[in-house]
Structures are given as C-alpha cells and as structure tokens.
Amino acid sequence: QVQLVESGGGLVQPGGSLRLTCAASSDLLLDSYNVGWFRQAPGREREGVSCIRRYTTTTYYADSVKGRFILSKDNTRNSVYLEMNSLKPDDTAIYYCAITSDYEPFSCGPMSYDYWGQGTQVTVSS
C-alpha cells in the first residue's frame, strides 16, 4: 500500500519557522515523481506552494513564498521537506504534499497532481 504522510505542522508565531515533512512508504520512491507542496485555507482555492521535478533539484515557488520557503529532498529518507521561514498569519492553511503520475511538463498546479497525503495544519498566530 503506497502512502504519503505529512508531519511537522503546528502553531507558530509570526516571523517564526516551521519545517514540514512529506514521508513516503517504502514501495513508493519519491525521487521518481514530481512532488509538490500545496495549501488550502477555508473558502479559498488550493494553491501550489512549491514543487520539485523528479530526479532533479529543479524547483518552483509561488510568488507569495519566494525567499521565505525552501523545498528540499532527502532520498535516503525517501522524504521531501518544506522549510518555512518568516511565517505570516496569511500562511495559515492545511498543507498537503502530493505526487503526480503525469511527469511532463513540469507543473505546480494542483490539478496536475493525483496522489495526495492527508494534510497537516499550519497555524501562524501570536
């Protein structure tokens, strides 16, 4: 059974940092898929935050998080991470990781991804 599990969410103060982890089961080699981080707040569309192209370090960042968030991958741990810095209340959302079986073209649009984790809540508040 393949599985994606997000962790690392929680409550953080504005200006603080948080590191999210997307861990894959051993029968799913995360490096072989395009992987993305997405977020959704109530009443808002799900948006692509940051994505990485399979087998590469090629990344995409949404304008709203450029310079603040860093996506990285650890193939030894079969995990993808999202380091979030200088967090703002507007970053509050449920954060999801996802992979896609449609590898080309490289995209960070939610509709391009077809296998999703359960999400982890990130709340930025004082």
Side-chain angles (χ1 to χ4, degrees), residues 31-45:
D31 191 47
S32 66
Y33 298 88
N34 296 346
V35 184
W37 282 101
F38 306 84
R39 66 186 181 187
Q40 188 166 26
R44 304 179 72 176
E45 294 289 323

Side-chain angles (χ1 to χ4, degrees), residues 108-125:
C108 204
M111 295 300 297
S112 297
Y113 289 75
D114 51 22
Y115 192 86
W116 296 78
Q118 296 300 306
T120 184
Q121 177 71 48
V122 172
T123 302
V124 184
S125 175

Side-chain angles (χ1 to χ4, degrees), residues 13-74:
Q13 296 181 2
S17 298
L18 207 59
R19 191 192 195 207
L20 305 183
T21 297
C22 177
S25 55
S26 60
D27 56 347
L28 193 159
L29 296 178
L30 212 53
D31 191 47
S32 66
Y33 298 88
N34 296 346
V35 184
W37 282 101
F38 306 84
R39 66 186 181 187
Q40 188 166 26
R44 304 179 72 176
E45 294 289 323
R46 185 170 298 186
E47 64 174 334
V49 176
S50 182
C51 296
I52 187 166
R53 193 171 190 167
R54 66 173 183 161
Y55 301 129
T56 77
T57 57
T58 300
T59 51
Y60 161 89
Y61 295 95
D63 288 342
S64 59
V65 306
K66 283 181 179 178
R68 298 191 297 124
F69 290 10
I70 302 172
L71 187 153
S72 61
K73 179 165 57 180
D74 186 338

Side-chain angles (χ1 to χ4, degrees), residues 5-16:
V5 178
E6 302 96 332
S7 62
L11 176 64
V12 64
Q13 296 181 2

